[in-house]
Amino acid sequence: MLRLFVALALPASLRAEIAGLAGGIPGARWVPPENYHLTLRFIGEIEPWRAQEVDDALAAIRARPFTLRLAGVGTFEKAGRIQSLWVGAERNDALTHLQTKVETALQRVGLAPERKRFSPHVTLARTDRAAPEKLMAFVQAYNLFRATPVEVEHFTLFSSRLGKEASVYTPEVDYDLVARVAA
């Protein structure tokens, strides 16, 4: 079985900017900078033959390059407890279009629809053991964070292997976004 997800890989310069935010919250498990990404669709565990179908479906996607702007920080909660700390991505039509195309392509090969609403973000830390007041102070301190915009020219199919300290994400296939030439 392969554990897969589709995401935007972030350039080293952007990962370094985000990494500058990490730290200062006891109990938070900070995501290593090499694992920063923006998930378009979590797939989960699938058989290798199904992974080939996923690859074929993703390779058929046609979308334009676009500018990604990361801005602000926030939290996700589950059952009243803050589970994670994230940097947000400003929504834009091109990002939403790409995510919708990925979702549609994966449903066409038989994967169940994603239950969660798309909320573009980059996870900074897992925070289930951190004090809520520390997390809220962090959000207030960095809410105006703005990263340098980057051009997104491809999206990536990643595999994920669970590790002791952090998961290991391996880029398996990059899919280029191509500017359409007017005919």
Side-chain angles (χ1 to χ4, degrees), residues 91-169:
R91 282 189 178 267
N92 66 53
D93 291 342
L95 173 59
T96 302
H97 177 74
L98 176 60
Q99 190 278 330
T100 300
K101 286 223 170 213
V102 168
E103 179 64 32
T104 301
L106 295 177
Q107 286 182 34
R108 281 193 186 128
V109 296
L111 296 182
E114 175 61 65
R115 293 188 312 258
K116 296 179 186 173
R117 185 177 63 84
F118 180 55
S119 179
H121 68 280
V122 176
T123 301
L124 273 176
R126 307 284 177 222
T127 58
D128 48 336
R129 292 187 221 134
E133 61 275 6
K134 294 279 190 191
L135 295 167
M136 291 298 94
F138 183 94
V139 169
Q140 288 177 340
Y142 293 105
N143 195 41
L144 297 179
F145 171 78
R146 299 284 181 269
T148 305
V150 295
E151 290 304 306
V152 174
E153 297 177 342
H154 69 274
F155 64 100
T156 304
L157 177 65
F158 285 89
S159 63
S160 171
R161 195 170 29 84
L162 299 177
K164 279 189 175 184
E165 295 297 315
S167 295
V168 176
Y169 301 146

Side-chain angles (χ1 to χ4, degrees), residues 61-67 94 97 151-154 175-183:
I61 291 175
R62 299 292 172 255
R64 295 177 186 221
F66 59 93
T67 302
H97 177 74
E151 290 304 306
V152 174
E153 297 177 342
H154 69 274
Y175 306 95
D176 288 334
L177 299 176
V178 181
R180 291 203 164 61
V181 178

Side-chain angles (χ1 to χ4, degrees), residues 6 8 14 17 21 46 49 81-82 84 103 110 112 115 134 136 149 164 168-169 179:
V6 182
L8 300 180
L14 184 54
E17 277 189 70
L21 299 175
I46 61 173
W49 63 267
R81 292 188 52 90
I82 299 172
S84 63
E103 179 64 32
R115 293 188 312 258
K134 294 279 190 191
M136 291 298 94
K164 279 189 175 184
V168 176
Y169 301 146

